[in-house]
Amino acid sequence: MNRKKLQKLTDTLTKNCKHFNTFEVTCLIKLFYNLVGEGIERQGTAIGLDRNAFRNILHVTFGMTDDMIMDRVFRGFDKDNDGCVSVTEWINGLSLFLRGSLEEKMKYCFEVFDLNGDGFISKEEMFHMLKNSLLKQPSEEDPDEGIKDLVEITLKKMDHDHDGKLSFADYEQAVREETLLLEAFGPCLPDPKSQMEFEAQVFKDPNDFNDM
């Protein structure tokens, strides 16, 4: 990508981006094209990180291991559902992912956890996610029973209007009372350590990008 194009892209993305400055946006654009590889100027094809490439970044850089959650995070970034994360989606997604306010993170996590997109996190969805994210403990008992109990405990704590499922209002109230509940159903944000490492590695002089 030539300098002029890069400058224009950087300006546009910086304008629309809440949490990164021009230098950081430039670094993230360069990283993006590094990750996508050199096949950039193909005619008319959507350029971006497909699901596998993106999941690889989540896994290697941010230590995520839960397939279902990684898939949901990918969908959270891929706003136009075209199956790949474009450079705009990459910058906007990371802006929230790394630096988002509590409000932004609550909306994002809720969307990740609302598997069928109906505006509620149902008991079934909680069960699925908790079953996925909890380590399988070898025990005599039926592990599903333990997870069902956990779902009930979670509902008791978070379901303020007692309708047996979590609306965003329930979730928001619970998280405001207890921030640890933000990722109640699985880790879908970077932990502080991997966030710091990522930023330290990416936001440096753009000339030494060779060791990414």
Side-chain angles (χ1 to χ4, degrees), residues 75-87:
R75 282 163 184 254
F77 271 69
D78 179 21
K79 291 290 184 210
D80 59 4
N81 287 327
D82 68 349
C84 72
V85 171
S86 69
V87 67

Side-chain angles (χ1 to χ4, degrees), residues 6-159:
L6 177 66
Q7 187 58 53
K8 195 171 168 205
L9 185 61
T10 305
D11 292 346
T12 310
L13 291 174
T14 307
K15 228 194 263 82
N16 299 324
C17 177
K18 275 194 202 155
H19 303 295
F20 294 133
N21 62 33
T22 309
F23 169 71
E24 291 166 337
V25 168
T26 309
C27 291
L28 288 169
I29 292 173
K30 291 190 173 178
L31 173 62
F32 176 83
Y33 284 113
N34 263 10
L35 291 165
V36 172
E38 288 313 304
I40 288 167
E41 302 298 339
R42 291 194 303 272
Q43 292 80 16
T45 49
I47 295 159
L49 298 164
D50 65 15
R51 190 178 301 260
N52 288 341
F54 187 78
R55 281 169 56 137
N56 193 38
I57 296 164
L58 291 179
H59 179 63
V60 175
T61 310
F62 298 111
M64 293 192 180
T65 50
D66 183 333
D67 281 340
M68 184 196 273
I69 295 284
M70 287 196 284
D71 212 47
R72 299 295 303 162
V73 174
F74 174 77
R75 282 163 184 254
F77 271 69
D78 179 21
K79 291 290 184 210
D80 59 4
N81 287 327
D82 68 349
C84 72
V85 171
S86 69
V87 67
T88 308
E89 290 169 337
W90 166 250
I91 302 283
N92 292 339
L94 282 176
S95 166
L96 186 156
F97 195 65
L98 297 169
R99 309 251 179 105
S101 64
L102 183 60
E103 275 71 19
E104 290 170 314
K105 286 181 173 170
M106 284 192 291
K107 282 202 179 78
Y108 157 82
C109 290
F110 188 83
E111 279 173 22
V112 167
F113 300 146
D114 176 12
L115 299 177
N116 65 358
D118 66 351
F120 293 96
I121 303 173
S122 66
K123 279 186 179 180
E124 291 72 33
E125 287 169 332
M126 287 179 209
F127 180 81
H128 266 307
M129 289 182 287
L130 291 170
K131 184 171 182 171
N132 246 353
S133 68
L134 294 173
L135 295 170
K136 314 282 181 279
Q137 297 295 345
S139 67
E140 300 302 304
E141 297 153 38
D142 176 6
D144 285 5
E145 282 310 306
I147 294 166
K148 280 180 187 150
D149 292 345
L150 193 58
V151 167
E152 292 306 326
I153 293 166
T154 308
L155 269 175
K156 207 169 250 152
K157 190 163 179 56
M158 296 177 82
D159 178 19

Side-chain angles (χ1 to χ4, degrees), residues 62 64 97-98 105 183 188-195:
F62 298 111
M64 293 192 180
F97 195 65
L98 297 169
K105 286 181 173 170
E183 296 179 86
C188 56
L189 287 162
D191 63 84
K193 182 172 175 284
S194 56
Q195 176 186 342

Side-chain angles (χ1 to χ4, degrees), residues 155-167 170:
L155 269 175
K156 207 169 250 152
K157 190 163 179 56
M158 296 177 82
D159 178 19
H160 293 288
D161 58 6
H162 308 299
D163 60 354
K165 57 189 175 181
L166 294 187
S167 64
D170 290 331

